[in-house]
Amino acid sequence: MIKTALHAGRIMIENGSEVARVEDTIHRIAVSAGYPQSKVYVTITGIMMSISDEENAQIEPINLRTIDLEKITRVNDLSRKFAAGAIDLVEFESDLTELEVHPRYFPLWMQLVSAGIVSGTLEVVFRNNFPDFWITCLIGLIGWGVFYAVNKLAQVRFLSEFLAAVAIGLLAILAVHVHWGNSVDDIIIGSVMPLVPGVPLTNAVRDLLTGDLVSGIARGIEALMSAVAIGSGIAMILQIL
């Protein structure tokens, strides 16, 4: 039971769930398995769980954090099935392993198109600049492509945000220089929107409001570092060019 509960909690934390949801899910798994007095402590870097009247506790380290809300939803669905008696612990653990081994991601082309649409739309919403809509879509698409490629090639935190921001700033200046766009600032503002750490920042606030101060502060710093990486990339290009 502890192995399955920790496995479920790790998947949720790794993919962007707030701490309170993870604690609730693990507690429900324990209650459904017949251990209502279990204890759990969750942070964004590790989960510790024990069963009352037992001497040993188990710890599940968390080294990777990304955003995949579909995985969180699927873990919640599996926990509800287990609570309803539709699956047992062995099936639950097997399904969690299958979820990690064969994840269902949106294809790259769909991610790129979505990033482009989001960039252009938010540029219009924030800056009311309709003439720069299409070039912002294109630069936002390319920026997300750089972000995706760097994440695949180099496992260095915040490097992907920095290099994607550099590419966006460079392309925005080039587009205005060749008269494909009108405002460098407007194009940059729209194009960086897909990179902004909105979910980590939201979860940081939610963790703080629910009393999970350690995780809330840690998430907030992580979101701040991502924002600094994005801002540094843009600032460097604007300073140089």
Side-chain angles (χ1 to χ4, degrees), residues 97 113 139 239:
T97 302
V113 171
I139 294 176
Q239 186 69 26

Side-chain angles (χ1 to χ4, degrees), residues 170-184:
L170 184 61
L171 291 173
I173 294 173
L174 179 62
V176 172
H177 181 73
V178 299
H179 305 293
W180 289 357
N182 300 308
S183 171
V184 171

Side-chain angles (χ1 to χ4, degrees), residues 193-205:
M193 283 299 126
L195 306 177
V196 173
V199 174
L201 185 59
T202 301
N203 284 342
V205 174

Side-chain angles (χ1 to χ4, degrees), residues 145-158:
V146 173
F147 173 78
Y148 182 91
V150 174
N151 269 334
K152 287 291 185 181
L153 296 174
Q155 299 297 322
V156 180
R157 295 300 306 275
F158 312 118

Side-chain angles (χ1 to χ4, degrees), residues 20-217:
R21 183 187 297 271
V22 176
E23 290 177 342
D24 181 67
T25 299
I26 293 177
H27 180 69
R28 289 178 183 274
I29 292 172
V31 170
S32 300
Y35 298 96
Q37 300 303 318
S38 62
K39 303 294 190 296
V40 60
Y41 178 70
V42 180
T43 70
I44 65 170
T45 56
I47 306 173
M48 182 168 62
M49 185 178 186
S50 66
I51 298 175
S52 298
D53 303 325
E54 296 285 343
E55 294 182 355
N56 297 324
Q58 293 189 28
I59 299 175
E60 184 77 14
I62 298 168
N63 301 314
L64 174 68
R65 285 179 297 279
T66 184
I67 303 298
D68 190 340
L69 301 184
E70 183 176 357
K71 281 188 177 180
I72 298 173
T73 300
R74 292 184 64 186
V75 172
N76 280 332
D77 290 342
L78 290 172
S79 67
R80 293 188 185 98
K81 288 181 179 179
F82 176 67
I87 57 175
D88 58 20
L89 274 174
V90 175
E91 292 175 300
F92 195 174
E93 173 65 21
S94 176
D95 289 341
L96 291 174
T97 302
E98 179 70 16
L99 176 60
E100 284 199 295
V101 174
H102 301 290
R104 295 187 299 179
Y105 292 114
F106 290 109
L108 177 58
W109 68 266
M110 186 177 292
Q111 295 182 41
L112 294 173
V113 171
S114 299
I117 293 174
V118 167
S119 298
T121 303
L122 291 180
E123 184 270 334
V124 172
V125 170
F126 291 144
R127 308 297 292 182
N128 197 31
N129 184 350
F130 288 92
D132 285 342
F133 172 80
W134 291 111
I135 189 61
T136 304
C137 287
L138 178 60
I139 294 176
L141 182 152
I142 296 173
W144 184 262
V146 173
F147 173 78
Y148 182 91
V150 174
N151 269 334
K152 287 291 185 181
L153 296 174
Q155 299 297 322
V156 180
R157 295 300 306 275
F158 312 118
L159 179 63
S160 55
E161 290 95 333
F162 176 78
L163 293 180
V166 169
I168 287 171
L170 184 61
L171 291 173
I173 294 173
L174 179 62
V176 172
H177 181 73
V178 299
H179 305 293
W180 289 357
N182 300 308
S183 171
V184 171
D185 292 344
D186 292 359
I187 295 172
I188 289 175
I189 288 172
S191 300
V192 300
M193 283 299 126
L195 306 177
V196 173
V199 174
L201 185 59
T202 301
N203 284 342
V205 174
R206 294 186 66 174
D207 287 344
L208 289 172
L209 292 178
T210 56
D212 298 304
L213 302 182
V214 174
S215 296
I217 293 173

